[in-house]
Amino acid sequence: MAKFQKPFIERPGILDPVPGDPQGYVTNDGMWAAVPIIGSKKFAIIHFGSVVHTAKNYTAAKSYILKESKKSKKK
């Protein structure tokens, strides 16, 4: 039997059918942002240039931002 070499894929993540979390999230007005923390799956939530909260994943970070931005619009 002949042995075949595995193909070299330069960016294997591009072929992943279930992609991971995006690189971050920023609101349209730029007041809120969710930035991934290096070395973990957590996201730091930034408001007016300071970290106000950390979320365990992207969906939790986005929901926190949406909830807090709705609160500030009501005031």
Side-chain angles (χ1 to χ4, degrees), residues 40-72:
S40 71
K41 294 183 179 184
K42 294 183 178 184
F43 282 78
I45 298 173
I46 301 171
H47 182 58
F48 285 121
S50 61
V51 177
V52 293
H53 184 70
T54 56
K56 62 181 178 179
N57 57 24
Y58 175 78
T59 55
K62 188 174 177 181
S63 66
Y64 179 85
I65 289 173
L66 294 175
K67 181 179 72 171
E68 291 296 319
S69 64
K70 284 182 184 178
K71 282 183 185 178
S72 63

Side-chain angles (χ1 to χ4, degrees), residues 5-16:
Q5 290 183 344
K6 285 186 170 181
F8 174 72
I9 301 171
E10 190 171 320
R11 296 186 308 171
I14 204 165
L15 300 176
D16 191 8

Side-chain angles (χ1 to χ4, degrees), residues 7 20 23 30 33 73:
Q23 294 297 315
K73 287 181 183 178

Side-chain angles (χ1 to χ4, degrees), residues 20 29 32 40 43-44 74-75:
D29 59 0
W32 292 90
S40 71
F43 282 78
K74 287 183 180 180
K75 288 182 179 180

